[in-house]
Amino acid sequence: MPLVVMKFGGTSVDGIRRIRNVAAKVQVETSAGNNVIVVVSAMAGRTTELSETVGNISRMFDAREFDAVVSTGENVTAGLLALALQDLGVPARSWQGWQVPVRTNSAHGAARIENIRTESIVTKFAEGMKVAVVAGFQGITQDGRISTLGRGGSDTTAVAFAAAFAAERCDIYTDVSGVYTADPRLVSRARKLNRVSYEEMLEFASLGAKVLQTRSVELAMHNKVRLRVLSSFCDGPGTLVCEEEEIMEQRAVSGVASSRNEAKVTLISVADRPGIAAAVFGLLASADVNVDMIVQNISEEGRTDITFSCPVEHVSKAEIALNEVLESGAVRYRSIVADTEVCKLSVVGIGMRSQSGVAAKMFKALADDGINILVIATSEIKISVLVDRKYMELGVQALHDAFQLDRC
Ligand code: ADP
Ligand code: ASP
Ligand code: MG
C-alpha cells in the first residue's frame, strides 16, 4: 500500500481543536488508500518552556537529562493524535523515538539520526493499522539514553522516516502556506514560491528561514525525498522542494533570508604569520563555537585584525577560549571587541550563478536606506551581510523591493 509521511508543527497541534483538525487531514489520506506516518511536534511554545524549566533547576545541566525533559512535549501530542484518530474510526498507534527505535549519535541537544528500524511499524501496518503517529525531534543513543535533534528537529524526523520507508512524499504542514520569498511575518508582500530547489532551500534554512530545519533539507536532497511545505489551516498546493531541473523560472534572486541573533567578534592586532588563523579557529572549534563569516584585514607592520561572526549565545564561550589562548601565550593579540547587536541579511538564488550585478544591487539597496554593511560573505548562490540589528526589518524589506520579489 502506498505510504505518505505528514508532519505537523507546534502551532498545528496547539490544543484539542487543532489536533482534531490534524486527525481529519490524516483521515483524508487514509480514505484515499494510503498508509500514513504522521510526525508531530510538541504544542507551540512547549519545548521552549521545558528548556527554560531545565535552566531554572540547574545552570550547568547534564545534557542527557535536558533531552529527557525537552523531548516530552512530543510524547503528549503523539498520544493525543492517536486518540483523536481512533475516535474517527481510523486504526492508529503512537510511537516514541525509542520504541521505533530512531537511533542517533550521542550529541545530546543536536543529535543526528543514524538509522531508523522499520520492522515494528511495518508489522503493525501488515496487521491493519493505518496510521503510525511518531513523536518528532527525539531518538535514542547507542547507550540507551533519550536524545533530541535540535530546535525544529521534527522536520528532520519526518524526512528521515520518508527516506527509511521510501514514502511517496513527505508533506510538512505548518502555520504558513509554503516557502515565501521572505519571512511573511516580516514582509507583508512576500510571495509564496511554487517550487524551490534543494540547494536554495538549504541556503534559506541555514541562513535563518526557520520554516525547515537545515538538516531536514540535507537529508531530503541526499535521499531525493519529494518534500512539500504547506499550511495546516488552509488548502493549497504549498511549495515543492525539488531538483533544480524541475524549476522553469530562474531568477537571479529567489528570496531573502534573515537571522536576528548574530554577533561579530574582532581580535585586534594579531601577528600576521602562518599558523595564527589555524590556532585561533582550531581553538574556537574545540570550544564548540559555531563560526560563520571570517574576515582578515590587510596587515600593517606584521599585525592584522581578524573578525568572525557567530550566534550571540556563543560569544561568551568564544571569549573564554580566546582569553585562555592569550594567557597561555599561544596567540598574542591586543584586545577582543564583541558586537552582540548585529543580524545577518542574505539574498539567495540559483540564477546568481549566471547573472552578474547581484552584489552591487544588494549593496545599493542597503545604502539607499542608510544601512551600513559590517561584513560580507558570498557563495555561488548567496550573498550575506552583517548589519546592525535595528535595521533587520528595514533591510529585509529593502532587499525584497530591490529584487522585485513581490512580482511573479
Ligand atoms: P512549525 O512549528 O510548523 O515547525 P516554524 O515556526 O518552525 O513552524 O516555521 C514556520 C515559520 O517560519 C513561519 O511562521 C514563518 O514566520 C517562518 N519563516 C521564516 N522564513 C520563511 C520563509 N521564507 N517562508 C515561510 N516561512 C518562513
Ligand atoms: N518541538 C521542537 C521545537 O520546538 C521540535 C520541532 O517542533 O520541530 O524545536
Ligand atoms: Mg519548525
Side-chain angles (χ1 to χ4, degrees):
M1 196 174 265
L3 177 100
V4 297
V5 172
M6 304 169 83
K7 179 259 170 176
F8 292 89
T11 324
S12 313
V13 293
D14 195 10
I16 303 296
R17 246 195 40 227
R18 289 187 176 175
I19 291 179
R20 290 223 168 94
N21 170 52
V22 168
K25 281 192 173 292
V26 175
Q27 192 182 28
V28 171
E29 291 293 340
T30 56
S31 304
N34 294 313
N35 280 338
V36 185
I37 295 179
V38 190
V39 173
V40 284
S41 290
M43 291 187 203
R46 187 67 187 135
T47 309
T48 305
E49 209 177 288
L50 289 166
S51 331
E52 284 169 5
T53 310
V54 172
N56 288 340
I57 208 144
S58 162
R59 253 168 58 80
M60 299 295 288
F61 51 76
D62 178 335
R64 287 161 295 193
E65 300 309 336
F66 173 86
D67 278 355
V69 176
V70 298
S71 61
T72 57
E74 272 71 10
N75 299 346
V76 175
T77 42
L80 290 176
L81 179 58
L83 289 170
L85 284 160
Q86 290 172 3
D87 261 11
L88 295 177
V90 179
R93 183 61 66 213
S94 72
W95 267 266
Q96 296 178 10
W98 66 272
Q99 292 172 301
V100 178
V102 176
R103 287 264 173 229
T104 72
N105 65 9
S106 55
H108 285 276
R112 282 169 85 95
I113 296 178
E114 287 175 342
N115 66 69
I116 292 176
R117 292 287 290 272
T118 55
E119 292 86 337
S120 64
I121 291 178
V122 167
T123 306
K124 280 287 177 195
F125 278 138
E127 290 170 1
M129 181 194 67
K130 293 277 173 248
V131 182
V133 185
V134 172
F137 179 57
Q138 51 175 262
I140 183 167
T141 63
Q142 281 305 337
D143 54 355
R145 305 307 312 180
I146 304 295
S147 52
T148 64
L149 311 181
R151 298 309 302 264
S154 297
D155 299 329
T156 301
T157 307
V159 174
F161 271 80
F165 284 81
E168 310 260 300
R169 53 177 212 272
C170 180
D171 289 345
I172 307 283
Y173 287 86
T174 183
D175 54 4
V176 288
S177 307
V179 179
Y180 281 71
T181 48
D183 185 341
R185 291 181 206 289
L186 293 183
V187 179
S188 58
R189 285 165 53 163
R191 188 172 47 86
K192 184 182 74 67
L193 297 165
N194 293 326
R195 293 177 176 222
V196 63
S197 70
Y198 291 117
E199 286 88 347
E200 285 171 314
M201 195 61 235
L202 202 53
E203 294 283 10
F204 277 134
S206 65
L207 295 168
K210 69 171 185 163
V211 62
L212 286 175
Q213 197 195 34
T214 308
R215 178 78 185 126
S216 74
V217 187
E218 271 169 15
L219 265 183
M221 185 158 127
H222 186 249
N223 294 287
K224 301 214 179 322
V225 172
R226 232 172 152 72
L227 188 61
R228 272 200 307 169
V229 177
L230 56 180
S231 165
S232 307
F233 305 117
C234 47
D235 292 332
T239 301
L240 179 70
V241 186
C242 60
E243 299 284 357
E244 200 175 314
E245 294 72 39
E246 295 180 64
I247 300 176
M248 292 298 164
E249 186 197 27
Q250 294 226 340
R251 292 167 160 241
V253 169
S254 305
V256 181
S258 51
S259 171
R260 185 177 295 276
N261 293 319
E262 302 287 326
K264 175 171 79 83
V265 180
T266 304
L267 286 184
I268 312 258
S269 189
V270 189
D272 189 13
R273 57 178 165 77
I276 295 295
V280 168
F281 291 102
L283 189 89
L284 292 169
S286 334
D288 273 335
V289 177
N290 205 343
V291 173
D292 178 18
M293 302 164 156
I294 301 175
V295 186
Q296 182 174 327
N297 292 346
I298 292 173
S299 69
E300 228 175 90
E301 292 166 11
R303 303 200 76 78
T304 183
D305 297 342
I306 298 180
T307 298
F308 65 89
S309 72
C310 66
V312 167
E313 62 272 20
H314 288 196
V315 169
S316 25
K317 52 185 180 183
E319 284 177 333
I320 292 171
L322 292 167
N323 281 327
E324 272 170 18
V325 83
L326 187 63
E327 275 161 27
S328 73
V331 177
R332 291 187 195 288
Y333 55 87
R334 187 160 27 145
S335 55
I336 310 176
V337 180
D339 180 352
T340 54
E341 293 293 321
V342 301
C343 70
K344 183 167 61 178
L345 306 178
S346 311
V347 294
V348 175
I350 40 179
M352 225 180 269
R353 289 194 197 118
S354 52
Q355 292 187 37
S356 56
V358 177
K361 196 169 188 172
M362 178 180 190
F363 303 158
K364 177 161 189 324
L366 295 173
D368 286 348
D369 272 332
I371 302 174
N372 188 33
I373 297 171
L374 306 169
V375 178
I376 302 169
T378 63
S379 80
E380 208 188 7
I381 63 163
K382 72 118 200 272
I383 302 169
S384 297
V385 295
L386 284 189
V387 303
D388 280 347
R389 191 171 304 142
K390 63 179 183 229
Y391 293 128
M392 190 173 106
E393 285 77 9
L394 181 66
V396 171
Q397 187 69 62
L399 296 175
H400 201 267
D401 289 347
F403 290 97
Q404 302 188 324
L405 295 175
D406 55 337
R407 301 197 199 150
C408 287

